[in-house]
């Protein structure tokens, strides 16, 4: 039977004359086959035109079912285009066409009962079309009842949505999600959620606004401290160089630490490439060489070389400025960063142990010099001590114990149940992580030993626990001062007190052991450029900041720090000369004689540095000179006589009228940071914004990081 139907179907296709009758025979003789074919019609058709036609998916034809003169039309039309079916009704079946148009009119009135029937809707093929929108409605492109795109209400919520993407770091593709649109519509039905393209456009506009504000702030600043560091994505698909700027803003009276640029850094990461990134930042933001107070970096050989190249270039610009202006445009763009072949290569970025500053004498005016990150260098000192056999053996045992507990889910759950804490693993790139690991072991010692005994696991010996306690006591001041020095700003004045306090801590009798001696030796070698004025690499900037911080200035007034006090005064004198050329000359400073010398006990303000406070005696000498030096001695006298609970920034802001020449210098120095921790935190944001499916972002990453880091500048 099946074969007969197939043959008849082929005859329908081949024989045009008898095809009409054969098709009817197929439909009558095989109703079951016809019903099976009709099941593949597809989605349900809503137009009234299908009351007069039936579509056959096998033949891909529409059959006319109109009954006229007791006879079905039976005409087959190709496909299922409603337009062709309407034309067939209009031309061959007038009564059926009128009935069809009446049904269309009734359906339109049922869907829009408040709208009267359109008289033009009764004829033609466009009778069932909806009323056309006006020209303004087409330009608005919004559903009825929504706010206009340029309305204040829409702009207000659009601004809040963009700020949410900037603050949270969420991908802008969220705005394309149907679930998010439904959520937004449930909160405010009149607000139409913008798409990802619109949100990205608004983010770009915010970047331009923020850059303009930041340029105005930098233009009004007197001095800047640049922090430079590099970062690569987790998949090593791209590398970036971050350049931040910390400065005091005189009109606003605030300290800002902003991120001007996040440069895409192509391989190789040489000193020349890094120098070009830094110089590009200075040119883009119109920062002159006289504005750069310090360049804070890590001890990588390529970054050290980059700063040296900038120093050499700027010295050349000072002496041969007229010759540089005569160079042709585009000539020597890359050659100016190349050193001679005698210079050491820096293709490998390795950590350097020395305190390489390459500065001029502290009494001279130095421009654009580098200072290593103090927190980073302090951690290198701790690593030197951890390599000692006494510390290395017990730390290795503790690390193995932590690893054994952390890899067991049973042990981790039991630790949380017993004490609400888990053990901490150390990380070579995270500051104080080894100290945190040892301290957590001691905090959970009782619960950990009980758990290890229950799980039949080995624990540390009693002697090992005693060694861990000594290590924690030895390293604790280093951890405290590392946290103190890694603030975003206003930490440069804490450098000298922290280092002197650590030195006094290591000289204390209970800790005079071989490990403490190793720490003391490493501390003095690495920070000789800050603590020893006789060093060839001495930098008086931290000492000058310490002198102008009223909370710690007394530290430099002891007999043991007389040489540091002299260097700090000389540095402040020369720096103030850049603010006011008529300042008292250096000869007047050197010839000044003290009129009185008294010794005393340090006040309670120095109890923050308890190891140092017990060892110093104050030198209360002062002199009386005119100009800047008079203000200096007046300030020193005020510090000796009073105890200040306010920050150094508030101290100098309130006394700008009392110290008109000294206050600008002090505000710029005490505002400077001592580490590059701000840039490190920026890279944490970069890792968040480039994780997962966004690991290939470059331009949008720079914009999002710039806005998130400088969000305070966006506040009106």
């Amino acid at each position: 039977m099946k074969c007969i139907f197939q043959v008849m179907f082929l005859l329908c296709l081949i024989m045009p004359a008898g095809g009409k009758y054969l098709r009817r025979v197929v439909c009558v003789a095989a109703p079951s086959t016809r019903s099976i074919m009709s099941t593949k019609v597809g989605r349900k058709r809503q137009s009234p035109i299908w009351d007069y036609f039936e579509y056959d998916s096998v033949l891909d034809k529409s059959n006319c079912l109109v009954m006229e003169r007791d006879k079905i039309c039976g005409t087959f039309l190709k496909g299922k285009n409603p337009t062709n079916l309407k034309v067939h009704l209009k031309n061959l079946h007038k009564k059926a066409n009128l009935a069809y148009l009446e049904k269309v009119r009734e359906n339109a009135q049922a869907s829009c009962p408040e709208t009267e029937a359109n008289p033009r809707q009764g004829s033609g093929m466009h009778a069932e079309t909806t009323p056309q929108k006006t020209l303004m409605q087409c330009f608005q492109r919004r559903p009825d009842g929504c706010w206009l795109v340029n309305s204040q209400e829409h702009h207000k919520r659009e601004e809040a949505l963009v700020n949410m993407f900037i603050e949270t770091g969420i991908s802008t593709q969220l705005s394309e999600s149907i679930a998010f649109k439904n959520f937004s519509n449930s909160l405010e039905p009149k607000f139409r959620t913008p798409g990802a393209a619109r949100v990205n456009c608004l983010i770009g506009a915010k970047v331009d606004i923020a850059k303009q504000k930041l340029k105005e702030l930098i233009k009004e600043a007197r001095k800047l401290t640049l922090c430079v560091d590099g970062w690569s994505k987790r998949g090593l698909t791209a590398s970036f160089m971050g350049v931040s700027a910390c400065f005091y803003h005189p009109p606003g009276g605030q300290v800002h630490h902003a991120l001007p640029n996040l440069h895409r850094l192509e391989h190789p990461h040489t000193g020349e490439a890094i120098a070009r990134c830094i110089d590009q930042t200075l040119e883009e933001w119109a920062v002159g060489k006289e504005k750069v107070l310090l360049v804070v970096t890590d001890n990588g050989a390529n970054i050290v070389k980059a700063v040296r190249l900038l120093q050499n270039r700027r010295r050349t610009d000072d002496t041969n400025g007229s010759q540089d202006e005569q160079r042709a445009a585009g000539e020597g763009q890359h050659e100016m960063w190349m050193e001679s072949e005698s210079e050491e290569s820096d293709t490998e970025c390795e950590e350097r142990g020395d305190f390489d500053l390459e500065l001029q004498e502290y009494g001279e005016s130095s421009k654009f010099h580098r200072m290593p990150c103090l927190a980073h260098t302090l951690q290198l000192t701790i690593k030197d001590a951890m390599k000692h056999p006494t510390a290395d053996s017990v730390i290795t045992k503790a690390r193995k114990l932590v690893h054994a507990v952390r890899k067991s889910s049973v042990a981790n759950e039991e630790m949380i149940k017993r004490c609400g804490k888990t053990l901490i693993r150390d990380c070579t790139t995270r500051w104080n992580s080894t100290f945190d690991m040892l301290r957590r072991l001691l905090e959970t010692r009782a619960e950990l030993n009980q758990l290890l005994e229950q799980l039949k696991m080995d624990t540390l010996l009693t002697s090992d626990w005693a060694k861990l306690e000594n290590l924690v006591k030895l390293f604790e001041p280093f951890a405290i001062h590392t946290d103190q020095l890694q603030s975003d700003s206003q930490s440069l004045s804490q450098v000298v007190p922290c280092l002197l306090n650590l030195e006094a801590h290591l000289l204390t009798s209970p800790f005079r052991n071989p490990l403490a001696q190793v720490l003391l030796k490493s501390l003095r070698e690495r920070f000789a450029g800050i603590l020893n004025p006789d060093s060839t690499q001495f930098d008086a900037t931290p000492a000058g900041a310490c002198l102008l911080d009223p909370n710690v200035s007394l530290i430099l007034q002891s007999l043991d720090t007389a040489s540091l006090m002299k260097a700090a005064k000389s540095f402040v004198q020369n720096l103030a000369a850049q603010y006011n050329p008529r300042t008292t000359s250096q000869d007047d400073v050197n010839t000044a004689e003290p009129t009185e010398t008294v010794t005393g006990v340090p006040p309670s303000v120095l109890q923050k540095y308890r190891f140092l406070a017990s060892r110093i005696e104050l030198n209360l000498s002062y002199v009386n000179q005119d100009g800047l030096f008079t203000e200096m001695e007046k300030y020193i006298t005020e510090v000796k006589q009073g105890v200040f609970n306010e920050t150094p920034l508030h101290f100098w802001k309130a006394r700008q009228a009392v110290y008109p020449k000294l206050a600008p210098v002090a505000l710029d120095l005490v505002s400077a940071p001592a580490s590059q921790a701000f840039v490190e935190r920026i890279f944490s944001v970069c890792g968040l914004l480039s994780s997962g499916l966004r690991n290939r972002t470059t331009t949008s990453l720079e914009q999002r990081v710039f806005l998130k880091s400088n969000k305070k500048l966006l506040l009106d």
Side-chain angles (χ1 to χ4, degrees):
M1 188 69 179
K2 183 177 180 181
C3 297
I4 296 175
F5 288 137
Q6 291 178 353
V7 173
M8 295 177 66
F9 176 72
L10 293 175
L11 292 176
C12 293
L13 300 177
I14 297 173
M15 301 174 60
K20 180 176 180 181
Y21 300 99
L22 288 174
R23 293 190 194 100
R24 293 182 180 178
V25 171
V26 172
C27 295
V28 174
S32 60
T33 305
R34 181 174 177 272
S35 62
I36 295 175
M37 295 178 180
S38 61
T39 57
K40 301 181 180 180
V41 175
R43 64 180 179 86
K44 184 179 180 180
R45 295 168 178 80
Q46 302 295 335
S47 177
I49 194 67
W50 294 107
D51 294 341
Y52 307 95
F53 291 88
E54 184 178 15
Y55 175 70
D56 193 331
S57 61
V58 177
L59 302 178
D60 191 24
K61 294 181 181 295
S62 298
N63 183 18
C64 181
L65 304 177
V66 177
M67 180 76 70
E68 287 187 355
R69 299 177 184 178
D70 300 331
K71 182 179 180 182
I72 299 177
C73 176
T75 304
F76 282 84
L77 301 177
K78 180 66 176 177
K80 53 181 177 179
N81 190 348
T83 304
N84 297 335
L85 306 183
K86 296 173 187 177
V87 172
H88 176 77
L89 284 183
K90 182 181 179 181
N91 295 335
L92 301 180
H93 309 290
K94 302 296 183 179
K95 294 182 180 180
N97 184 46
L98 293 177
Y100 161 72
L101 295 178
E102 184 64 25
K103 290 183 179 181
V104 171
R105 189 178 300 107
E106 291 176 357
N107 292 342
Q109 292 178 357
S111 59
C112 300
E114 71 280 358
T115 305
E116 296 182 358
N118 192 345
R120 297 182 179 180
Q121 208 171 15
S123 61
M125 293 186 297
H126 301 283
E128 66 175 300
T129 58
T130 58
Q132 294 184 352
K133 294 183 178 180
T134 63
L135 184 61
M136 290 302 299
Q137 290 176 341
C138 295
F139 278 111
Q140 290 172 4
R141 300 179 63 183
R142 63 185 180 91
D144 295 336
C146 292
W147 287 314
L148 293 174
V149 177
N150 56 353
S151 64
Q152 184 178 1
E153 294 294 334
H154 181 86
H155 177 72
K156 179 180 178 181
R157 285 157 178 80
E158 200 174 48
E159 185 82 5
L161 181 63
V162 173
N163 291 335
M164 184 205 71
F165 282 111
I166 295 174
E167 290 285 344
T168 60
I170 300 175
S171 174
T172 55
Q173 291 298 324
L174 178 65
S175 60
E176 300 285 352
S177 172
I178 298 178
F180 181 78
K181 291 182 178 180
N182 293 336
F183 172 74
S184 177
N185 184 65
S186 65
L187 296 178
E188 182 52 72
K190 294 184 179 181
F191 175 65
R192 185 179 183 184
T193 307
R198 172 65 176 170
V199 174
N200 291 330
C201 181
L202 294 174
I203 290 177
K206 276 187 170 292
V207 170
D208 297 336
I209 296 174
K211 283 189 175 182
Q212 186 61 33
K213 289 185 177 181
L214 184 56
K215 281 186 178 180
E216 295 175 359
L217 295 176
I218 292 178
K219 183 179 180 181
E220 295 172 341
R222 291 183 294 259
K223 292 288 182 179
L224 292 89
T225 300
L226 300 181
C227 300
V228 184
D229 198 10
W231 172 79
S232 297
K233 291 184 178 181
R234 177 173 297 182
L236 302 180
T237 56
S239 299
F240 295 87
M241 178 62 60
V243 181
S244 67
C246 182
F247 57 91
Y248 173 76
H249 184 232
Q254 295 180 352
V255 179
H256 298 288
H257 200 153
L259 179 72
N261 287 105
L262 183 67
H263 296 282
R264 175 74 181 273
L265 188 62
E266 302 289 345
H267 281 282
H269 301 164
T270 60
E272 291 84 0
I274 298 175
R276 282 193 290 269
C277 290
I278 300 176
D279 193 66
Q280 180 182 349
T281 300
L282 298 178
E283 292 180 358
E284 179 181 354
W285 298 91
V287 177
K289 58 186 178 182
E290 69 282 350
K291 271 195 173 185
V292 180
L293 177 65
L294 286 173
V295 181
V296 182
T297 70
D298 58 16
N299 297 320
N302 52 356
I303 296 186
V304 173
K305 181 178 179 180
V307 178
R308 184 170 63 248
L309 289 173
L310 290 170
Q311 290 174 348
N312 297 337
R313 182 214 174 190
R314 295 184 183 282
R315 293 193 191 103
T316 304
D317 291 344
D318 291 340
T319 56
N320 303 323
S322 59
Q323 297 179 2
D324 294 339
E325 294 178 357
Q326 296 176 359
R327 291 181 181 177
E331 182 180 358
Q333 291 293 326
H334 298 281
E335 294 179 357
M336 65 180 181
W337 296 113
M338 300 301 296
E339 288 190 327
S340 61
E341 296 181 357
S342 60
E343 296 288 349
E344 61 179 359
S345 175
D346 62 347
T347 55
E348 296 182 358
C349 181
E350 57 182 5
E351 292 293 339
R352 302 181 56 167
D354 56 340
F355 198 89
D356 188 8
L357 290 171
E358 299 188 7
L359 302 175
Q360 302 173 1
E361 294 295 331
Y362 62 82
E364 301 176 4
S365 176
S366 58
K367 298 179 180 179
F368 206 90
H369 62 266
R370 169 186 169 271
M371 184 183 74
C373 172
L374 275 305
H376 184 81
T377 309
L378 197 60
Q379 291 298 305
L380 294 179
T381 303
I382 298 177
K383 288 183 179 180
D384 292 340
M386 289 182 178
K387 295 177 183 178
H388 193 272
T390 305
D392 183 64
S393 59
V394 66
I395 291 177
T396 302
K397 293 179 182 179
R399 187 178 292 115
K400 290 181 178 179
L401 177 60
V402 171
H403 179 71
V405 175
R406 287 296 301 267
K407 72 178 183 180
S408 173
S409 59
V410 177
N412 280 321
E413 292 180 2
E414 286 295 327
M415 283 294 296
I416 295 176
K417 291 179 181 179
R418 293 173 183 267
C419 58
K421 298 178 181 179
T422 59
L423 299 183
I424 300 176
R425 286 179 176 176
D426 62 340
C427 178
T428 56
T429 59
R430 187 178 298 277
W431 297 340
N432 295 333
S433 62
T434 303
F435 170 78
D436 294 336
M437 178 186 69
L438 300 181
R439 183 173 58 179
R440 179 58 61 85
L441 275 174
L442 293 175
E443 291 175 354
T444 60
R445 176 180 177 179
E447 294 83 2
L448 180 61
N449 286 335
Q450 295 175 3
L451 175 62
L452 294 177
E453 183 179 358
Q454 178 182 346
L455 298 178
K456 298 181 180 181
M457 297 174 62
D458 295 333
T459 183
L460 298 178
L461 300 176
T462 305
S463 59
D464 293 334
W465 286 108
K467 292 179 181 179
L468 289 182
E469 291 179 357
N470 293 332
L471 285 178
V472 169
K473 292 179 181 179
L474 185 63
F475 292 146
E476 185 176 10
F478 286 84
I480 294 174
H481 290 314
T482 299
D483 294 337
Q484 186 177 350
L485 294 177
Q486 63 177 335
S487 60
D488 293 342
S489 62
Q490 305 183 50
S491 58
L492 184 62
S493 61
Q494 307 295 323
V495 172
V496 173
C498 289
L499 296 179
L500 293 178
N501 189 56
L502 291 175
E503 187 178 21
H505 162 65
L506 297 175
L507 291 173
T508 307
S509 55
F511 302 102
R512 293 186 65 86
N513 52 59
L515 188 59
Q517 296 302 316
V518 172
L519 269 174
L520 182 61
K521 180 181 178 182
S522 178
L523 183 71
R524 288 175 173 175
E525 288 179 354
R526 290 185 180 276
F527 293 98
I530 291 180
L531 299 178
N532 186 11
D534 297 330
S535 174
T536 57
Q537 304 297 334
F538 179 70
D539 178 16
T541 308
C546 177
L547 174 63
L548 298 179
D549 187 342
N551 296 324
V552 295
S553 180
L554 290 176
I555 292 176
L556 294 181
Q557 300 180 34
S558 66
L559 299 177
D560 296 336
T561 56
S563 57
L564 273 177
M565 182 68 167
K566 181 180 178 181
K569 286 184 177 180
S570 180
F571 174 81
V572 173
Q573 178 79 9
N574 286 276
L575 185 60
Q578 302 178 17
Y579 293 77
N580 188 1
R582 296 183 180 181
T583 304
T584 307
S585 63
Q586 179 66 28
D587 296 336
D588 297 336
V589 177
N590 295 333
T591 57
E593 296 293 337
T595 59
E596 183 180 359
T597 302
V598 184
T599 59
V601 180
S604 59
V605 68
L606 296 183
Q607 293 306 316
K608 184 178 181 180
Y609 309 95
R610 54 191 179 93
F611 302 104
L612 178 62
S614 61
R615 296 176 54 86
I616 65 174
E617 292 183 356
L618 297 184
N619 181 9
L620 305 183
S621 62
Y622 61 92
V623 296
N624 187 11
Q625 292 288 339
D626 295 333
L628 174 67
F629 207 76
T630 302
E631 294 185 9
M632 174 71 72
E633 298 307 322
K634 183 179 179 181
Y635 158 72
I636 293 176
T637 304
E638 182 180 0
V639 170
K640 295 173 182 177
Q641 295 176 352
V643 178
F644 307 97
N645 297 324
E646 55 188 347
T647 63
L649 195 65
H650 293 159
F651 175 89
W652 287 106
K653 286 170 62 177
R655 291 168 175 78
Q656 293 188 67
V658 180
Y659 306 103
K661 297 181 179 180
L662 192 60
V665 182
L667 288 171
D668 290 338
L669 282 179
V670 300
S671 301
S675 69
Q676 56 175 5
F678 180 83
V679 186
E680 298 283 354
R681 298 185 182 98
I682 295 300
F683 294 152
S684 299
V685 178
C686 292
L688 173 65
L689 296 179
S690 60
S691 61
L693 299 178
R694 295 179 290 175
N695 59 349
R696 294 298 181 93
T697 56
T698 53
T699 303
S700 61
L701 176 63
E702 298 173 9
Q703 293 180 348
R704 300 285 295 275
V705 172
F706 177 84
L707 290 176
K708 187 172 179 61
S709 305
N710 304 322
K711 58 183 178 182
K712 293 183 179 179
L713 301 178
L714 298 177
L715 299 178
D716 295 332

